[in-house]
Each structure stands twice: as structure tokens, then as C-alpha cells.
């Protein structure tokens, strides 16, 4: 990890920095004294940074999240704390961070991933704007597309359909996947990617062919 912290590829370098901070944290006194299986854990993901426990104030966490002068590790910890709070106010704070940050595509991409976990309707407007922005990094637009598929509010299908022929391969592929996710989330099926016996292709593929 230390070998790549100065990589010319910014997302790679930042990921290595976060990973090194996570190793340091995992061996810290804070972790050694913590409950190994907190009862209030909502998400099963292995997060790149633990939610901060220093404050539960959405306003204070938003200040940390949206300040590019604060180190990425602290901003990530604020990000996951807002996710765990889970209110509409927390979602809007995350959306502000995603749309105003200009320093790190990795950071914006991570918020997109979190929105996919949260599945909160309040994230849809910001995700739609991110997906529509052709100047945004493709990795961020990709995550916005898949998050929209996970949220699966009624307007999402139409939003995603606009970009299934996007010039960026990773964006159009993500929209195809997200349309399948939308179909799953609104179908009542228990398991994702189950194809009924009388269907050979997902409906999103039929849409593209049309």
C-alpha cells in the first residue's frame, strides 16, 4: 500500500491512503476496547472507514464532510456516520457533499455507493444530476446509476433509460445493470438476478434492443 500512496492515479493513491489509515485504526486502542459486534449495526458492508463516534449532529458532520481542507479519512468517517443516522436530513447532507466536492472522484463515488445502500428517495435528485453531468468522472456517474437502480422510486426507470446509450461504456453498462436492479426492487422477488423460466433476457435488455 505504501508503494502506491503517491501514484499518479489519484483514486488509487487515495484508496491506499485510506487503507493504511484503516490498518492503523484497526490496531488502535479505540478498536481494542470497542464492542466487536455492535447491536445497532444496520449495513453488512465492510466499510473503508468506520463511522465517527465523536458527534451525532448532522450539521457538524456535514461541515466535516464538505470541507476539502479536512483529511479524507475524517471526511469518510463523517460520511459513514451520516449513512448510519439515515434520516432525510443526513441524506441531503451527503448529497451536498457529493455535488459540491471537486477534490476527489473517489470521495464522490463512495457517497454514490452509500446512497445505493440507503435506498432513500431523497437521494434521487442529486443522483440524477450527477448521472446527467457529462463532465463528471465516469466512476462517479457509474455509482450514481447503480444507486438509482437500488433506490427504485417510480421516476428512476425513465432517468436511467436516458443514458443506456451514453458515450461512456462504464456509464451505459451501469445503467443497464441499474435497470435490472430497478426491475428486481419493484418485482417483490427475494433474490436479485433471478430470471423467470419464461424469460430468456431481462426487460432492460429488451428495451435496449428496441
Amino acid at each position: 500500500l505504501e508503494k502506491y500512496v503517491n501514484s499518479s492515479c489519484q483514486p488509487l493513491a487515495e484508496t491506499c491512503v485510506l487503507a493504511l489509515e484503516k490498518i492503523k485504526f484497526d490496531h488502535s486502542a479505540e478498536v481494542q476496547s470497542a464492542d466487536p459486534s455492535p447491536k445497532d449495526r444496520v449495513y453488512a458492508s465492510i466499510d473503508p472507514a468506520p463511522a465517527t463516534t465523536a458527534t451525532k449532529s448532522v450539521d457538524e458532520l456535514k461541515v466535516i464532510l464538505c470541507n476539502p481542507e479536512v483529511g479524507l479519512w475524517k471526511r469518510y468517517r463523517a460520511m459513514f456516520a451520516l449513512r448510519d443516522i439515515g434520516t432525510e436530513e443526513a441524506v441531503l447532507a451527503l448529497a451536498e457533499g457529493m455535488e459540491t466536492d471537486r477534490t476527489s472522484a473517489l470521495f464522490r463515488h463512495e457517497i454514490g455507493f452509500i446512497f445505493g445502500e440507503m435506498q432513500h428517495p431523497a437521494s434521487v435528485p442529486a443522483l440524477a444530476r450527477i448521472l446527467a453531468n457529462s463532465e463528471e468522472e465516469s466512476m462517479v456517474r457509474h455509482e450514481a446509476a447503480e444507486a438509482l437502480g437500488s433506490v427504485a422510486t417510480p421516476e428512476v426507470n425513465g432517468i436511467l433509460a436516458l443514458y443506456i446509450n451514453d458515450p461512456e461504456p462504464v456509464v451505459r453498462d451501469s445503467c443497464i445493470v441499474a435497470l435490472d436492479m430497478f426491475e428486481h426492487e419493484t418485482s417483490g422477488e427475494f433474490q436479485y438476478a433471478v430470471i423467470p423460466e419464461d424469460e430468456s433476457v431481462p426487460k432492460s435488455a429488451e428495451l435496449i434492443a428496441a
Side-chain angles (χ1 to χ4, degrees), residues 59-172:
D59 287 339
E60 290 178 28
L61 290 168
K62 183 170 76 170
V63 168
I64 298 169
L65 181 84
C66 296
N67 185 353
E69 301 301 318
V70 174
L72 200 58
W73 174 253
K74 289 184 178 180
R75 296 177 76 195
Y76 263 59
R77 294 199 67 183
M79 183 193 303
F80 285 101
L82 287 165
R83 179 201 65 181
D84 291 351
I85 291 170
T87 61
E88 181 171 340
E89 184 186 10
V91 170
L92 295 177
L94 287 164
E96 184 174 332
M98 188 178 192
E99 291 199 271
T100 61
D101 177 80
R102 301 295 359 130
T103 63
S104 171
L106 185 74
F107 173 86
R108 301 192 299 277
H109 151 279
E110 195 71 47
I111 295 178
F113 176 81
I114 281 175
F115 279 155
E117 288 187 301
M118 296 178 79
Q119 298 181 298
H120 198 295
S123 66
V124 170
L127 290 169
R129 288 190 293 268
I130 292 287
L131 179 57
N133 182 6
S134 61
E135 301 299 315
E136 178 57 275
E137 296 288 342
S138 58
M139 67 183 288
V140 183
R141 295 180 69 209
H142 138 77
E143 206 64 64
E146 295 203 355
L148 285 166
S150 181
V151 177
T153 50
E155 71 272 30
V156 162
N157 198 325
I159 295 169
L160 291 169
L162 294 172
Y163 304 100
I164 56 174
N165 294 309
D166 195 89
E168 285 288 339
V170 69
V171 174
R172 64 174 180 262

